Amino acid sequence: PEEAIEVLLAGLGPSRPVKFKQADALLNFELAWDLLSIRRYQESAEAWLRMLGLNTWSHATYTYLAAGCYLALRTDEGLRQAEGLFDKLPTLLARKRPGVAFWQAKMSRWNASGSQLTHYAQCIRINPAEELGVFWNTHRRIPKSIASEHVRELIKLTPYPAGCDTEQPSHWPASSLTGSRSDLDTEDELLFRNLLLGIAQRALEDFTTSKRLLLLAANAKDREITGTWMIPMAHFEVAVLAMLEVQESERESSSDPQLKTKWTSAINDAAKHLDEASARLGDTDLSSRLESRIAMLRDELQLKKTTLG
């Protein structure tokens, strides 16, 4: 991501020979995601806000992502900026742009959770920008240093996740303290933590821990979850993990006589999870993006089966 960011910044620099608004919008859009993927939250927030002047696709999405990035700074100023941006969302949502149902459901849940606070942003501990980033697949190439930061941050949130050795407090500004409440007090938040932790542990090549966490997310009870995209996404990520595990085994020992058997087993396991993901999509929020990723992975599985013979 660092190299991509440098290329994108150069493409958007003041010395570029031609300025073309539509091209600038595409470059800035990718830049904002790349900055988010490596936790450069201040710069990512600024890039999302620039999108407001570059196109009209979904100002609610850009505003929401910028708010999440400011919230992730975990400073009083960041919280103030996030609150101001969140306050703009109801008006933006009235314009019926893409993702309206997703944002409205999120805001409804936050308002309910934060009803005793000055502003519901004070109760948010799971970064909403990172949440959408998982949906957008920004974590596919995160370096191990960034994955480690995600793990360190997420395991400090109460209630502490099972199997994680920590009792360190999370550091949030005093203005966002929520008294005796747990940091995560909804099933959605707990599920997403398992999902992101599983993805981060996979990036760290701790496949055993990754699988345990992703399966916890995949096997959550649908009726307790508002964010309907997370369970099919977890099944998809388990499918990806199945392939990566054998890929790593092949890298370590390409002469392993059991390698073909391992690939066949992994392909079958991945296919089952893709079937589960597809079956659970239904009216899932923003389902088309996940559908396309499932289709592409199915194609890869078929190609690998053909290669194996």
Side-chain angles (χ1 to χ4, degrees), residues 72-258:
L73 297 175
R74 289 189 286 178
T75 63
D76 285 319
E77 176 59 20
L79 179 61
R80 187 187 68 78
Q81 293 273 17
E83 289 176 355
L85 291 170
F86 281 130
D87 286 342
K88 294 179 179 180
L89 282 176
T91 301
L92 295 172
L93 292 173
R95 299 177 186 174
K96 302 295 181 185
R97 290 292 182 179
V100 166
F102 178 82
W103 314 131
Q104 287 177 334
K106 294 285 292 183
M107 292 181 68
S108 175
R109 188 167 74 247
W110 286 338
N111 274 307
S113 298
S115 59
Q116 304 303 313
L117 302 171
T118 305
H119 194 286
Y120 62 76
Q122 296 173 13
C123 74
I124 301 172
R125 292 292 179 270
I126 291 292
N127 181 347
E130 292 286 6
E131 186 177 357
L132 194 56
V134 166
F135 201 96
W136 212 264
N137 200 25
T138 59
H139 298 77
R140 65 194 182 281
R141 293 193 305 270
I142 57 172
K144 289 185 177 181
S145 59
I146 297 299
S148 294
E149 286 187 53
H150 281 306
V151 172
R152 281 195 297 270
E153 183 175 281
L154 290 167
I155 65 175
K156 291 179 182 179
L157 298 175
T158 57
Y160 300 121
C164 295
D165 183 21
T166 184
E167 292 211 0
Q168 301 178 45
S170 55
H171 299 292
W172 290 86
S175 58
S176 71
L177 295 178
T178 57
S180 59
R181 292 174 40 165
S182 293
D183 290 313
L184 310 181
D185 61 357
T186 69
E187 291 300 320
D188 281 68
E189 291 172 325
L190 294 168
L191 193 160
F192 181 76
R193 176 170 63 180
N194 284 336
L195 178 57
L196 183 50
L197 274 173
I199 292 169
Q201 294 288 8
R202 189 178 64 200
L204 292 169
E205 298 179 4
D206 183 349
F207 296 140
T208 300
T209 302
S210 175
K211 188 171 185 177
R212 176 178 64 82
L213 290 161
L214 290 175
L215 285 175
L216 278 174
N219 294 325
K221 296 178 181 178
D222 297 62
R223 64 180 179 274
E224 298 176 354
I225 304 301
T226 304
T228 54
W229 65 274
M230 288 188 284
I231 292 177
M233 179 66 76
H235 279 288
F236 174 83
E237 297 294 354
V238 175
V240 172
L241 174 63
M243 303 303 289
L244 289 177
E245 284 183 290
V246 187
Q247 194 175 81
E248 181 63 22
S249 178
E250 183 177 52
R251 194 161 31 239
E252 291 175 355
S253 179
S254 59
S255 59
D256 182 356
Q258 297 299 313

Side-chain angles (χ1 to χ4, degrees), residues 29 55-62 97-99 103 136:
F29 185 76
N55 75 21
T56 59
W57 175 70
S58 178
H59 283 190
T61 303
Y62 306 142
R97 290 292 182 179
W103 314 131
W136 212 264

